């Protein structure tokens, strides 16, 4: 299975943009890139996903490199509520139909 | 919107006891999953059900059994609980496997003494 690499932790100031990187150099052509986040004492929450093109939704933007070997989750204005562990995950119907969660990036947002 | 509902939210067991964790979703999803999360770790897949009537092992299936009771419900059973199974258990569902996002419940916090 293709793996992802994320920094263990990142820190941001409130109301500033945050760019969370993810490397996935062995990604296959059928792998979707999913981002989830997990707030303390809660279950993971879907953030965004994409295949090749950049994606935007009300929560965030996903920028995917042209060669698809890396991606960046962009939070446009961080709030204290965005402090969470962010997971970058690859998934497709050939990977056991499941998401392979790693350790993710712990985002600290300071006032 | 209820989404994915897990019961119970908390449970303490003694070693050797058995119990069943319940999960139900109201989104008409085809696929359901059971994960465990140990302190400071990411989630690890225990079992999944790609569609009603099918179940498959995930990364850490030993010591667990599952039942896809119907399209809505997917239960996880510990036949003989061990301290190593102390963890937070999350159930999730998705419309279809792989491409669709998964929706998670709030978890069951299980302690085995």
């Amino acid at each position: 299975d293709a793996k992802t690499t994320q920094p263990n932790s990142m820190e941001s100031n409130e109301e500033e943009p945050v760019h969370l990187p993810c490397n996935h150099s062995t990604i296959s052509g059928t792998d979707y890139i999913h981002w989830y986040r997990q707030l303390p004492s809660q279950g993971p929450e879907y953030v965004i996903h994409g295949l090749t093109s950049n994606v935007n939704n009300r929560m965030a933007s996903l920028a995917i490199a042209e060669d698809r070997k890396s991606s960046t989750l962009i939070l446009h204005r961080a709030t204290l509520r965005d402090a969470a562990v962010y997971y970058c995950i690859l998934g497709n119907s050939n990977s056991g139909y499941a998401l392979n969660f790693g350790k993710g990036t712990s985002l600290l947002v300071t006032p | 919107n209820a989404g994915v509902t897990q019961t119970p939210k908390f449970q303490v067991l003694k070693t050797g006891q058995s119990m069943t964790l319940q999960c139900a979703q109201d989104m008409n999803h085809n696929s359901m999953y059971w994960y465990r999360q140990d302190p400071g770790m990411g989630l690890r897949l225990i079992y999944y059900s790609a569609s009603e009537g099918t179940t498959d092992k995930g990364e850490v299936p030993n010591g667990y059994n599952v039942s896809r009771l119907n399209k809505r419900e997917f239960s996880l059973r510990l036949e003989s609980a061990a301290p190593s199974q102390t963890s937070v258990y999350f159930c999730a569902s998705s419309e279809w496997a792989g491409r669709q996002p998964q929706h998670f419940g709030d978890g069951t916090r299980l302690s085995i003494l």
Side-chain angles (χ1 to χ4, degrees):
Chain A
D1 288 346
K3 302 296 183 186
T4 63
T5 303
Q6 300 177 253
N8 290 332
S9 62
M10 292 184 64
E11 189 170 342
S12 173
N13 294 322
E14 196 176 11
E15 298 187 2
E16 290 187 354
V18 181
H19 291 237
L20 296 162
C22 181
N23 288 318
H24 29 78
S25 58
T26 60
I27 190 171
S28 75
T30 56
D31 280 332
Y32 279 75
I33 302 161
H34 301 259
W35 283 83
Y36 286 76
R37 71 180 185 182
Q38 187 174 21
L39 280 64
S41 300
Q42 295 188 23
E45 174 187 28
Y46 166 78
V47 177
I48 200 166
H49 77 284
L51 183 61
T52 57
S53 302
N54 294 345
V55 185
N56 300 294
N57 66 22
R58 64 175 180 81
M59 291 182 68
S61 296
L62 175 60
I64 302 172
E66 192 170 340
D67 63 5
R68 300 208 327 125
K69 293 184 177 182
S70 65
S71 62
T72 302
L73 179 70
I74 303 167
L75 307 179
H76 295 287
R77 287 185 67 215
T79 69
L80 297 178
R81 193 188 174 282
D82 291 323
V85 178
Y86 287 79
Y87 297 96
C88 168
I89 304 163
L90 305 181
N92 64 59
S93 60
N94 296 320
S95 60
Y97 298 99
L99 298 177
N100 184 11
F101 284 81
K103 292 188 177 181
T105 297
S106 179
L107 176 66
L108 175 66
V109 180
T110 54
Chain B
N1 294 332
V4 177
T5 303
Q6 292 184 236
T7 56
K9 295 190 184 306
F10 302 92
Q11 185 70 49
V12 178
L13 292 177
K14 294 181 179 179
T15 298
Q17 288 185 317
S18 63
M19 83 161 293
T20 300
L21 279 62
Q22 307 287 352
C23 175
Q25 52 91 9
D26 63 1
M27 295 171 282
N28 200 35
H29 285 170
N30 292 284
S31 303
M32 298 185 73
Y33 314 81
W34 276 106
Y35 294 88
R36 63 176 286 176
Q37 185 173 35
D38 299 318
M41 303 287 289
L43 280 74
R44 292 185 292 170
L45 184 68
I46 305 172
Y47 271 93
Y48 67 96
S49 172
S51 60
E52 186 178 358
T54 68
T55 61
D56 285 284
K57 296 178 180 179
E59 182 184 357
V60 288
N62 291 343
Y64 305 95
N65 287 303
V66 291
S67 296
R68 185 73 183 267
L69 305 171
N70 48 55
K71 192 172 185 178
R72 290 187 64 250
E73 298 173 289
F74 189 38
S75 63
L76 178 72
R77 182 162 179 83
L78 286 71
E79 290 292 351
S80 179
S84 61
Q85 294 177 305
T86 293
S87 190
V88 181
Y89 291 84
F90 290 101
C91 177
S93 70
S94 64
E95 185 176 358
W96 290 107
R99 294 192 297 172
Q100 297 299 325
Q102 294 183 12
H103 300 264
F104 286 79
D106 289 335
T108 294
R109 284 150 182 79
L110 181 61
S111 293
I112 300 164
L113 307 177

mmCIF file of all heavy atoms in Angstrom, chain B residues 25-66:
data_model
loop_
_atom_site.group_PDB
_atom_site.id
_atom_site.type_symbol
_atom_site.label_atom_id
_atom_site.label_comp_id
_atom_site.label_asym_id
_atom_site.label_seq_id
_atom_site.Cartn_x
_atom_site.Cartn_y
_atom_site.Cartn_z
ATOM 1 N N GLN B 25 -25.868 3.082 11.554
ATOM 2 C CA GLN B 25 -25.814 4.303 10.740
ATOM 3 C C GLN B 25 -27.146 4.481 10.027
ATOM 4 O O GLN B 25 -27.777 3.505 9.626
ATOM 5 C CB GLN B 25 -24.636 4.256 9.750
ATOM 6 C CG GLN B 25 -24.549 3.017 8.869
ATOM 7 C CD GLN B 25 -25.265 3.105 7.549
ATOM 8 O OE1 GLN B 25 -25.743 4.184 7.149
ATOM 9 N NE2 GLN B 25 -25.343 1.987 6.838
ATOM 10 N N ASP B 26 -27.503 5.758 9.856
ATOM 11 C CA ASP B 26 -28.792 6.063 9.245
ATOM 12 C C ASP B 26 -28.646 6.772 7.915
ATOM 13 O O ASP B 26 -29.539 7.517 7.489
ATOM 14 C CB ASP B 26 -29.655 6.875 10.211
ATOM 15 C CG ASP B 26 -29.041 8.220 10.549
ATOM 16 O OD1 ASP B 26 -27.948 8.543 10.029
ATOM 17 O OD2 ASP B 26 -29.640 8.956 11.356
ATOM 18 N N MET B 27 -27.505 6.590 7.254
ATOM 19 C CA MET B 27 -27.228 7.295 6.007
ATOM 20 C C MET B 27 -27.370 6.394 4.784
ATOM 21 O O MET B 27 -26.974 6.785 3.686
ATOM 22 C CB MET B 27 -25.811 7.884 6.076
ATOM 23 C CG MET B 27 -25.685 8.959 7.145
ATOM 24 S SD MET B 27 -23.988 9.487 7.423
ATOM 25 C CE MET B 27 -23.374 8.128 8.408
ATOM 26 N N ASN B 28 -27.885 5.194 4.987
ATOM 27 C CA ASN B 28 -28.062 4.226 3.902
ATOM 28 C C ASN B 28 -26.733 3.863 3.228
ATOM 29 O O ASN B 28 -26.679 3.607 2.023
ATOM 30 C CB ASN B 28 -29.053 4.743 2.852
ATOM 31 C CG ASN B 28 -29.611 3.614 2.007
ATOM 32 O OD1 ASN B 28 -29.834 2.501 2.488
ATOM 33 N ND2 ASN B 28 -29.838 3.891 0.728
ATOM 34 N N HIS B 29 -25.671 3.861 4.032
ATOM 35 C CA HIS B 29 -24.350 3.528 3.495
ATOM 36 C C HIS B 29 -24.176 2.033 3.323
ATOM 37 O O HIS B 29 -24.724 1.226 4.077
ATOM 38 C CB HIS B 29 -23.257 4.064 4.422
ATOM 39 C CG HIS B 29 -23.073 5.540 4.321
ATOM 40 N ND1 HIS B 29 -22.294 6.256 5.213
ATOM 41 C CD2 HIS B 29 -23.532 6.442 3.416
ATOM 42 C CE1 HIS B 29 -22.296 7.527 4.866
ATOM 43 N NE2 HIS B 29 -23.044 7.664 3.778
ATOM 44 N N ASN B 30 -23.384 1.668 2.318
ATOM 45 C CA ASN B 30 -23.136 0.258 2.044
ATOM 46 C C ASN B 30 -21.986 -0.315 2.866
ATOM 47 O O ASN B 30 -21.985 -1.480 3.208
ATOM 48 C CB ASN B 30 -22.831 0.057 0.565
ATOM 49 C CG ASN B 30 -24.037 0.312 -0.294
ATOM 50 O OD1 ASN B 30 -24.946 -0.503 -0.369
ATOM 51 N ND2 ASN B 30 -24.065 1.461 -0.946
ATOM 52 N N SER B 31 -20.988 0.499 3.149
ATOM 53 C CA SER B 31 -19.763 0.001 3.785
ATOM 54 C C SER B 31 -19.663 0.488 5.221
ATOM 55 O O SER B 31 -19.999 1.627 5.533
ATOM 56 C CB SER B 31 -18.535 0.467 3.000
ATOM 57 O OG SER B 31 -18.613 0.034 1.660
ATOM 58 N N MET B 32 -19.181 -0.405 6.082
ATOM 59 C CA MET B 32 -18.987 -0.051 7.489
ATOM 60 C C MET B 32 -17.665 -0.611 7.984
ATOM 61 O O MET B 32 -17.155 -1.605 7.455
ATOM 62 C CB MET B 32 -20.162 -0.574 8.338
ATOM 63 C CG MET B 32 -21.494 0.051 7.935
ATOM 64 S SD MET B 32 -22.873 -0.427 8.981
ATOM 65 C CE MET B 32 -22.514 0.514 10.478
ATOM 66 N N TYR B 33 -17.121 0.025 9.035
ATOM 67 C CA TYR B 33 -15.762 -0.274 9.491
ATOM 68 C C TYR B 33 -15.685 -0.201 11.013
ATOM 69 O O TYR B 33 -16.395 0.570 11.649
ATOM 70 C CB TYR B 33 -14.778 0.767 8.932
ATOM 71 C CG TYR B 33 -14.950 1.073 7.465
ATOM 72 C CD1 TYR B 33 -15.935 1.971 7.038
ATOM 73 C CD2 TYR B 33 -14.128 0.478 6.506
ATOM 74 C CE1 TYR B 33 -16.098 2.261 5.693
ATOM 75 C CE2 TYR B 33 -14.290 0.778 5.164
ATOM 76 C CZ TYR B 33 -15.276 1.662 4.770
ATOM 77 O OH TYR B 33 -15.440 1.952 3.437
ATOM 78 N N TRP B 34 -14.757 -0.982 11.558
ATOM 79 C CA TRP B 34 -14.391 -0.863 12.968
ATOM 80 C C TRP B 34 -12.890 -0.589 13.059
ATOM 81 O O TRP B 34 -12.079 -1.313 12.486
ATOM 82 C CB TRP B 34 -14.707 -2.132 13.749
ATOM 83 C CG TRP B 34 -16.125 -2.211 14.225
ATOM 84 C CD1 TRP B 34 -17.119 -2.987 13.729
ATOM 85 C CD2 TRP B 34 -16.693 -1.485 15.321
ATOM 86 N NE1 TRP B 34 -18.286 -2.787 14.424
ATOM 87 C CE2 TRP B 34 -18.051 -1.867 15.418
ATOM 88 C CE3 TRP B 34 -16.196 -0.556 16.227
ATOM 89 C CZ2 TRP B 34 -18.913 -1.357 16.373
ATOM 90 C CZ3 TRP B 34 -17.051 -0.036 17.184
ATOM 91 C CH2 TRP B 34 -18.396 -0.448 17.257
ATOM 92 N N TYR B 35 -12.553 0.471 13.819
ATOM 93 C CA TYR B 35 -11.171 0.848 14.072
ATOM 94 C C TYR B 35 -10.928 0.852 15.575
ATOM 95 O O TYR B 35 -11.845 1.027 16.367
ATOM 96 C CB TYR B 35 -10.877 2.264 13.564
ATOM 97 C CG TYR B 35 -10.929 2.479 12.077
ATOM 98 C CD1 TYR B 35 -12.123 2.802 11.438
ATOM 99 C CD2 TYR B 35 -9.760 2.412 11.312
ATOM 100 C CE1 TYR B 35 -12.162 3.032 10.081
ATOM 101 C CE2 TYR B 35 -9.797 2.652 9.942
ATOM 102 C CZ TYR B 35 -11.003 2.962 9.340
ATOM 103 O OH TYR B 35 -11.033 3.199 7.992
ATOM 104 N N ARG B 36 -9.667 0.739 15.946
ATOM 105 C CA ARG B 36 -9.266 1.003 17.318
ATOM 106 C C ARG B 36 -8.169 2.057 17.320
ATOM 107 O O ARG B 36 -7.381 2.160 16.375
ATOM 108 C CB ARG B 36 -8.794 -0.267 18.032
ATOM 109 C CG ARG B 36 -7.568 -0.923 17.462
ATOM 110 C CD ARG B 36 -7.145 -2.126 18.318
ATOM 111 N NE ARG B 36 -6.523 -1.703 19.569
ATOM 112 C CZ ARG B 36 -6.141 -2.544 20.533
ATOM 113 N NH1 ARG B 36 -6.339 -3.848 20.399
ATOM 114 N NH2 ARG B 36 -5.570 -2.099 21.627
ATOM 115 N N GLN B 37 -8.156 2.832 18.391
ATOM 116 C CA GLN B 37 -7.133 3.876 18.512
ATOM 117 C C GLN B 37 -6.532 3.800 19.904
ATOM 118 O O GLN B 37 -7.224 4.022 20.902
ATOM 119 C CB GLN B 37 -7.716 5.271 18.278
ATOM 120 C CG GLN B 37 -6.661 6.364 18.284
ATOM 121 C CD GLN B 37 -7.228 7.700 17.886
ATOM 122 O OE1 GLN B 37 -8.363 8.032 18.195
ATOM 123 N NE2 GLN B 37 -6.429 8.501 17.171
ATOM 124 N N ASP B 38 -5.253 3.516 19.957
ATOM 125 C CA ASP B 38 -4.530 3.464 21.212
ATOM 126 C C ASP B 38 -3.909 4.825 21.485
ATOM 127 O O ASP B 38 -3.688 5.613 20.550
ATOM 128 C CB ASP B 38 -3.467 2.371 21.160
ATOM 129 C CG ASP B 38 -4.112 1.004 20.928
ATOM 130 O OD1 ASP B 38 -5.159 0.744 21.539
ATOM 131 O OD2 ASP B 38 -3.579 0.211 20.127
ATOM 132 N N PRO B 39 -3.611 5.140 22.735
ATOM 133 C CA PRO B 39 -3.104 6.477 23.083
ATOM 134 C C PRO B 39 -1.917 6.900 22.228
ATOM 135 O O PRO B 39 -0.950 6.148 22.088
ATOM 136 C CB PRO B 39 -2.706 6.311 24.556
ATOM 137 C CG PRO B 39 -3.604 5.241 25.058
ATOM 138 C CD PRO B 39 -3.784 4.286 23.916
ATOM 139 N N GLY B 40 -2.022 8.106 21.660
ATOM 140 C CA GLY B 40 -0.930 8.650 20.871
ATOM 141 C C GLY B 40 -0.737 8.010 19.512
ATOM 142 O O GLY B 40 0.248 8.298 18.820
ATOM 143 N N MET B 41 -1.688 7.164 19.117
ATOM 144 C CA MET B 41 -1.555 6.446 17.842
ATOM 145 C C MET B 41 -2.658 6.857 16.888
ATOM 146 O O MET B 41 -3.690 7.392 17.285
ATOM 147 C CB MET B 41 -1.637 4.942 18.090
ATOM 148 C CG MET B 41 -0.619 4.409 19.071
ATOM 149 S SD MET B 41 1.035 4.358 18.372
ATOM 150 C CE MET B 41 0.823 3.016 17.193
ATOM 151 N N GLY B 42 -2.429 6.547 15.635
ATOM 152 C CA GLY B 42 -3.494 6.706 14.661
ATOM 153 C C GLY B 42 -4.466 5.550 14.756
ATOM 154 O O GLY B 42 -4.314 4.642 15.569
ATOM 155 N N LEU B 43 -5.478 5.565 13.920
ATOM 156 C CA LEU B 43 -6.480 4.516 13.928
ATOM 157 C C LEU B 43 -5.993 3.299 13.154
ATOM 158 O O LEU B 43 -5.345 3.430 12.117
ATOM 159 C CB LEU B 43 -7.781 5.015 13.287
ATOM 160 C CG LEU B 43 -8.675 5.875 14.165
ATOM 161 C CD1 LEU B 43 -8.101 7.258 14.338
ATOM 162 C CD2 LEU B 43 -10.075 5.933 13.573
ATOM 163 N N ARG B 44 -6.331 2.142 13.650
ATOM 164 C CA ARG B 44 -6.007 0.887 12.968
ATOM 165 C C ARG B 44 -7.287 0.111 12.708
ATOM 166 O O ARG B 44 -8.139 -0.018 13.576
ATOM 167 C CB ARG B 44 -5.037 0.053 13.807
ATOM 168 C CG ARG B 44 -3.652 0.663 13.942
ATOM 169 C CD ARG B 44 -2.715 -0.262 14.684
ATOM 170 N NE ARG B 44 -3.099 -0.403 16.094
ATOM 171 C CZ ARG B 44 -2.563 -1.305 16.917
ATOM 172 N NH1 ARG B 44 -1.620 -2.130 16.481
ATOM 173 N NH2 ARG B 44 -2.950 -1.363 18.173
ATOM 174 N N LEU B 45 -7.404 -0.395 11.493
ATOM 175 C CA LEU B 45 -8.614 -1.076 11.080
ATOM 176 C C LEU B 45 -8.667 -2.482 11.650
ATOM 177 O O LEU B 45 -7.721 -3.253 11.513
ATOM 178 C CB LEU B 45 -8.685 -1.131 9.553
ATOM 179 C CG LEU B 45 -9.942 -1.741 8.967
ATOM 180 C CD1 LEU B 45 -11.146 -0.848 9.228
ATOM 181 C CD2 LEU B 45 -9.766 -1.956 7.462
ATOM 182 N N ILE B 46 -9.790 -2.828 12.267
ATOM 183 C CA ILE B 46 -9.981 -4.158 12.838
ATOM 184 C C ILE B 46 -10.684 -5.070 11.833
ATOM 185 O O ILE B 46 -10.167 -6.119 11.444
ATOM 186 C CB ILE B 46 -10.804 -4.093 14.129
ATOM 187 C CG1 ILE B 46 -10.177 -3.125 15.130
ATOM 188 C CG2 ILE B 46 -10.941 -5.477 14.753
ATOM 189 C CD1 ILE B 46 -11.040 -2.857 16.349
ATOM 190 N N TYR B 47 -11.865 -4.676 11.429
ATOM 191 C CA TYR B 47 -12.663 -5.387 10.444
ATOM 192 C C TYR B 47 -13.438 -4.357 9.629
ATOM 193 O O TYR B 47 -13.665 -3.239 10.074
ATOM 194 C CB TYR B 47 -13.687 -6.320 11.119
ATOM 195 C CG TYR B 47 -13.218 -7.709 11.415
ATOM 196 C CD1 TYR B 47 -12.664 -8.015 12.655
ATOM 197 C CD2 TYR B 47 -13.359 -8.732 10.484
ATOM 198 C CE1 TYR B 47 -12.254 -9.319 12.951
ATOM 199 C CE2 TYR B 47 -12.940 -10.032 10.770
ATOM 200 C CZ TYR B 47 -12.388 -10.312 11.997
ATOM 201 O OH TYR B 47 -11.980 -11.597 12.297
ATOM 202 N N TYR B 48 -13.859 -4.778 8.470
ATOM 203 C CA TYR B 48 -14.742 -3.944 7.685
ATOM 204 C C TYR B 48 -15.752 -4.805 6.942
ATOM 205 O O TYR B 48 -15.573 -6.018 6.783
ATOM 206 C CB TYR B 48 -13.963 -3.054 6.722
ATOM 207 C CG TYR B 48 -13.247 -3.786 5.613
ATOM 208 C CD1 TYR B 48 -13.821 -3.934 4.354
ATOM 209 C CD2 TYR B 48 -11.978 -4.311 5.814
ATOM 210 C CE1 TYR B 48 -13.155 -4.591 3.339
ATOM 211 C CE2 TYR B 48 -11.311 -4.974 4.813
ATOM 212 C CZ TYR B 48 -11.895 -5.108 3.579
ATOM 213 O OH TYR B 48 -11.242 -5.774 2.576
ATOM 214 N N SER B 49 -16.812 -4.125 6.507
ATOM 215 C CA SER B 49 -17.854 -4.783 5.715
ATOM 216 C C SER B 49 -18.091 -3.908 4.497
ATOM 217 O O SER B 49 -18.661 -2.827 4.607
ATOM 218 C CB SER B 49 -19.132 -4.915 6.536
ATOM 219 O OG SER B 49 -20.192 -5.368 5.732
ATOM 220 N N ALA B 50 -17.615 -4.359 3.364
ATOM 221 C CA ALA B 50 -17.729 -3.551 2.147
ATOM 222 C C ALA B 50 -19.187 -3.407 1.715
ATOM 223 O O ALA B 50 -19.577 -2.385 1.151
ATOM 224 C CB ALA B 50 -16.899 -4.159 1.021
ATOM 225 N N SER B 51 -19.985 -4.429 1.981
ATOM 226 C CA SER B 51 -21.409 -4.368 1.658
ATOM 227 C C SER B 51 -22.143 -5.342 2.564
ATOM 228 O O SER B 51 -21.526 -6.214 3.197
ATOM 229 C CB SER B 51 -21.647 -4.706 0.193
ATOM 230 O OG SER B 51 -21.184 -6.011 -0.101
ATOM 231 N N GLU B 52 -23.454 -5.212 2.617
ATOM 232 C CA GLU B 52 -24.249 -6.085 3.474
ATOM 233 C C GLU B 52 -23.997 -7.543 3.106
ATOM 234 O O GLU B 52 -23.999 -7.905 1.935
ATOM 235 C CB GLU B 52 -25.729 -5.747 3.303
ATOM 236 C CG GLU B 52 -26.639 -6.478 4.241
ATOM 237 C CD GLU B 52 -28.098 -6.064 4.055
ATOM 238 O OE1 GLU B 52 -28.365 -5.189 3.215
ATOM 239 O OE2 GLU B 52 -28.957 -6.621 4.751
ATOM 240 N N GLY B 53 -23.745 -8.355 4.131
ATOM 241 C CA GLY B 53 -23.513 -9.767 3.889
ATOM 242 C C GLY B 53 -22.061 -10.153 3.741
ATOM 243 O O GLY B 53 -21.735 -11.334 3.625
ATOM 244 N N THR B 54 -21.161 -9.170 3.759
ATOM 245 C CA THR B 54 -19.732 -9.482 3.637
ATOM 246 C C THR B 54 -18.958 -8.818 4.761
ATOM 247 O O THR B 54 -19.282 -7.714 5.191
ATOM 248 C CB THR B 54 -19.149 -8.980 2.308
ATOM 249 O OG1 THR B 54 -19.135 -7.561 2.308
ATOM 250 C CG2 THR B 54 -19.951 -9.474 1.130
ATOM 251 N N THR B 55 -17.938 -9.510 5.250
ATOM 252 C CA THR B 55 -17.013 -8.938 6.224
ATOM 253 C C THR B 55 -15.605 -9.408 5.895
ATOM 254 O O THR B 55 -15.433 -10.510 5.355
ATOM 255 C CB THR B 55 -17.346 -9.343 7.676
ATOM 256 O OG1 THR B 55 -17.268 -10.771 7.799
ATOM 257 C CG2 THR B 55 -18.734 -8.873 8.082
ATOM 258 N N ASP B 56 -14.638 -8.566 6.212
ATOM 259 C CA ASP B 56 -13.245 -8.912 5.949
ATOM 260 C C ASP B 56 -12.346 -8.387 7.044
ATOM 261 O O ASP B 56 -12.666 -7.377 7.686
ATOM 262 C CB ASP B 56 -12.781 -8.331 4.608
ATOM 263 C CG ASP B 56 -13.333 -9.088 3.431
ATOM 264 O OD1 ASP B 56 -12.819 -10.186 3.160
ATOM 265 O OD2 ASP B 56 -14.284 -8.598 2.807
ATOM 266 N N LYS B 57 -11.233 -9.071 7.243
ATOM 267 C CA LYS B 57 -10.283 -8.662 8.269
ATOM 268 C C LYS B 57 -9.518 -7.437 7.829
ATOM 269 O O LYS B 57 -9.212 -7.257 6.656
ATOM 270 C CB LYS B 57 -9.299 -9.803 8.549
ATOM 271 C CG LYS B 57 -9.948 -11.039 9.132
ATOM 272 C CD LYS B 57 -8.913 -12.147 9.334
ATOM 273 C CE LYS B 57 -9.582 -13.397 9.928
ATOM 274 N NZ LYS B 57 -8.597 -14.496 10.104
ATOM 275 N N GLY B 58 -9.197 -6.620 8.829
ATOM 276 C CA GLY B 58 -8.335 -5.482 8.607
ATOM 277 C C GLY B 58 -6.948 -5.755 9.119
ATOM 278 O O GLY B 58 -6.460 -6.880 9.061
ATOM 279 N N GLU B 59 -6.334 -4.738 9.662
ATOM 280 C CA GLU B 59 -4.933 -4.835 10.107
ATOM 281 C C GLU B 59 -4.777 -5.603 11.418
ATOM 282 O O GLU B 59 -3.810 -6.336 11.604
ATOM 283 C CB GLU B 59 -4.369 -3.425 10.273
ATOM 284 C CG GLU B 59 -2.915 -3.360 10.694
ATOM 285 C CD GLU B 59 -2.458 -1.920 10.934
ATOM 286 O OE1 GLU B 59 -3.264 -0.990 10.710
ATOM 287 O OE2 GLU B 59 -1.307 -1.735 11.353
ATOM 288 N N VAL B 60 -5.735 -5.457 12.341
ATOM 289 C CA VAL B 60 -5.594 -6.056 13.675
ATOM 290 C C VAL B 60 -6.851 -6.825 14.088
ATOM 291 O O VAL B 60 -7.519 -6.464 15.056
ATOM 292 C CB VAL B 60 -5.250 -4.970 14.727
ATOM 293 C CG1 VAL B 60 -3.825 -4.472 14.552
ATOM 294 C CG2 VAL B 60 -6.232 -3.791 14.647
ATOM 295 N N PRO B 61 -7.185 -7.932 13.418
ATOM 296 C CA PRO B 61 -8.450 -8.626 13.699
ATOM 297 C C PRO B 61 -8.418 -9.618 14.868
ATOM 298 O O PRO B 61 -9.479 -10.027 15.348
ATOM 299 C CB PRO B 61 -8.692 -9.382 12.394
ATOM 300 C CG PRO B 61 -7.308 -9.705 11.903
ATOM 301 C CD PRO B 61 -6.467 -8.498 12.281
ATOM 302 N N ASN B 62 -7.232 -9.987 15.327
ATOM 303 C CA ASN B 62 -7.145 -11.045 16.332
ATOM 304 C C ASN B 62 -7.840 -10.652 17.627
ATOM 305 O O ASN B 62 -7.621 -9.576 18.172
ATOM 306 C CB ASN B 62 -5.681 -11.396 16.609
ATOM 307 C CG ASN B 62 -5.035 -12.085 15.424
ATOM 308 O OD1 ASN B 62 -5.718 -12.573 14.528
ATOM 309 N ND2 ASN B 62 -3.726 -12.107 15.396
ATOM 310 N N GLY B 63 -8.691 -11.562 18.128
ATOM 311 C CA GLY B 63 -9.410 -11.323 19.375
ATOM 312 C C GLY B 63 -10.775 -10.696 19.190
ATOM 313 O O GLY B 63 -11.471 -10.441 20.176
ATOM 314 N N TYR B 64 -11.157 -10.470 17.936
ATOM 315 C CA TYR B 64 -12.432 -9.813 17.636
ATOM 316 C C TYR B 64 -13.231 -10.638 16.630
ATOM 317 O O TYR B 64 -12.665 -11.340 15.803
ATOM 318 C CB TYR B 64 -12.203 -8.430 17.046
ATOM 319 C CG TYR B 64 -11.360 -7.506 17.866
ATOM 320 C CD1 TYR B 64 -9.993 -7.390 17.625
ATOM 321 C CD2 TYR B 64 -11.916 -6.731 18.880
ATOM 322 C CE1 TYR B 64 -9.209 -6.538 18.376
ATOM 323 C CE2 TYR B 64 -11.136 -5.869 19.629
ATOM 324 C CZ TYR B 64 -9.777 -5.780 19.374
ATOM 325 O OH TYR B 64 -9.001 -4.940 20.115
ATOM 326 N N ASN B 65 -14.546 -10.475 16.703
ATOM 327 C CA ASN B 65 -15.435 -10.968 15.667
ATOM 328 C C ASN B 65 -16.437 -9.873 15.331
ATOM 329 O O ASN B 65 -16.705 -8.999 16.164
ATOM 330 C CB ASN B 65 -16.199 -12.218 16.134
ATOM 331 C CG ASN B 65 -15.302 -13.436 16.184
ATOM 332 O OD1 ASN B 65 -14.700 -13.813 15.192
ATOM 333 N ND2 ASN B 65 -15.194 -14.047 17.370
ATOM 334 N N VAL B 66 -16.982 -9.915 14.132
ATOM 335 C CA VAL B 66 -17.945 -8.906 13.725
ATOM 336 C C VAL B 66 -19.163 -9.577 13.115
ATOM 337 O O VAL B 66 -19.112 -10.710 12.647
ATOM 338 C CB VAL B 66 -17.353 -7.906 12.709
ATOM 339 C CG1 VAL B 66 -16.310 -7.016 13.356
ATOM 340 C CG2 VAL B 66 -16.784 -8.638 11.496
#
